[in-house]
Amino acid sequence: ETGVTQTPRHLVMGMTNKKSLKCEQHLGHNAMYWYKQSAKKPLELMFVYSLEERVENNSVPSRFSPECPNSSHLFLHLHTLQPEDSALYLCASSQDPAGSSYNSPLHFGNGTRLTVT
Amino acid sequence: AQTVTQSQPEMSVQEAETVTLSCTYDTSENNYYLFWYKQPPSRQMILVIRQEAYKQQNATENRFSVNFQKAAKSFSLKISDSQLGDTAMYFCAFMKLDAGNMLTFGGGTRLMVKP
């Protein structure tokens, strides 16, 4: 199933570069999420968008800038990153934008493997 | 704040046998949800099974079942008749009631199913 598509699959960038990660969902969902998966840490929620409005910013440094132009697309703009930002960045979507999501589980993409040199 | 602990970084099991993955969590909430997600080499996180804390009956999904011990704050996953396709990282996750999909994940257990 390719309900949530992330591009690029791999990205290598220098610390002075500016790049963007893209996520697109084809499931008609109303909420979208960015998660960071580092090698030796649990998955960390970064941002949540509900009906195109940001509802959660989990103390993420300003060098990460999300954008949600519509309910199907989510971007993560990157600039002046650090080597410790190297990780797998996972996008997810869900039907229910708020409240109990027990019956509206997350659907994840395949992630973008980011390496900062 | 909630924490989720998976004490087994890696496990292996022979094909067709049964394996149990451990998960403990810490919370002051009384009502919440628990999940197990699977991440195969494709990297896509896939929901395996979920449990509502107010339900005493353990959830089951085909070959996957959980042993939910609320008092002990334990939520283990049992995989019966293991298949090669079960090889993956498995993550336990916690979610407060009405918290949207803001999950707290454990560190994961890498499961290898051997032929």
Side-chain angles (χ1 to χ4, degrees):
Chain A
E1 178 188 332
T2 57
V4 180
T5 304
Q6 289 187 244
T7 55
R9 188 164 175 81
H10 300 274
L11 177 63
V12 179
M13 60 185 288
M15 289 190 285
T16 59
N17 291 158
K18 290 183 179 182
K19 297 286 185 183
S20 296
L21 309 185
K22 179 182 176 183
C23 176
E24 183 174 1
Q25 59 97 357
H26 311 277
L27 301 169
H29 287 168
N30 294 317
M32 297 188 77
Y33 310 76
W34 280 116
Y35 276 88
K36 176 182 178 182
Q37 186 176 17
S38 304
K40 297 183 177 179
K41 295 173 68 176
L43 271 82
E44 302 169 81
L45 177 65
M46 300 176 72
F47 301 104
V48 181
Y49 275 83
S50 170
L51 298 171
E52 301 154 41
E53 289 191 15
R54 190 189 307 181
V55 297
E56 180 76 13
N57 176 353
N58 215 17
S59 302
V60 179
S62 59
R63 58 186 182 270
F64 295 91
S65 175
E67 179 190 1
C68 188
N70 54 63
S71 60
S72 298
H73 293 85
L74 183 66
F75 295 90
L76 187 62
H77 303 299
L78 316 170
H79 65 98
T80 59
L81 294 191
Q82 305 298 312
E84 60 264 29
D85 297 322
S86 298
L88 180 68
Y89 289 85
L90 290 165
C91 174
S93 69
S94 69
Q95 176 62 43
D96 190 347
S100 172
S101 67
Y102 181 77
N103 294 313
S104 176
L106 291 170
H107 291 253
F108 284 86
N110 290 348
T112 294
R113 173 74 65 192
L114 174 67
T115 303
V116 181
T117 61
Chain B
Q2 287 67 230
T3 58
V4 179
T5 302
Q6 294 178 246
S7 59
Q8 305 151 314
E10 294 186 0
M11 293 193 72
S12 63
V13 63
Q14 291 297 132
E15 194 176 8
E17 293 189 348
T18 296
V19 64
T20 299
L21 309 184
S22 301
C23 173
T24 59
Y25 57 93
D26 187 23
T27 184
S28 58
E29 303 286 327
N30 188 47
N31 290 319
Y32 47 86
Y33 305 122
L34 295 162
F35 305 83
W36 277 98
Y37 276 86
K38 166 185 177 181
Q39 188 178 39
S42 68
R43 307 187 318 207
Q44 184 183 26
M45 297 278 283
I46 302 165
L47 178 64
V48 174
I49 198 166
R50 49 193 164 174
Q51 174 83 38
E52 297 159 284
Y54 62 86
K55 285 188 176 179
Q56 292 186 343
Q57 185 174 6
N58 289 324
T60 62
E61 287 285 344
N62 300 313
R63 298 183 294 108
F64 298 89
S65 62
V66 298
N67 183 5
F68 174 48
Q69 301 290 327
K70 191 173 183 180
K73 295 180 181 176
S74 171
F75 183 62
S76 61
L77 174 70
K78 185 171 82 171
I79 306 174
S80 303
D81 186 25
S82 298
Q83 300 176 358
L84 296 178
D86 296 333
T87 293
M89 284 288 292
Y90 286 81
F91 294 93
C92 179
F94 172 100
M95 189 183 76
K96 292 195 297 184
L97 206 68
D98 295 330
N101 259 306
M102 299 181 193
L103 301 171
T104 299
F105 284 88
T109 296
R110 185 176 302 279
L111 176 67
M112 172 73 71
V113 179
K114 298 179 178 178

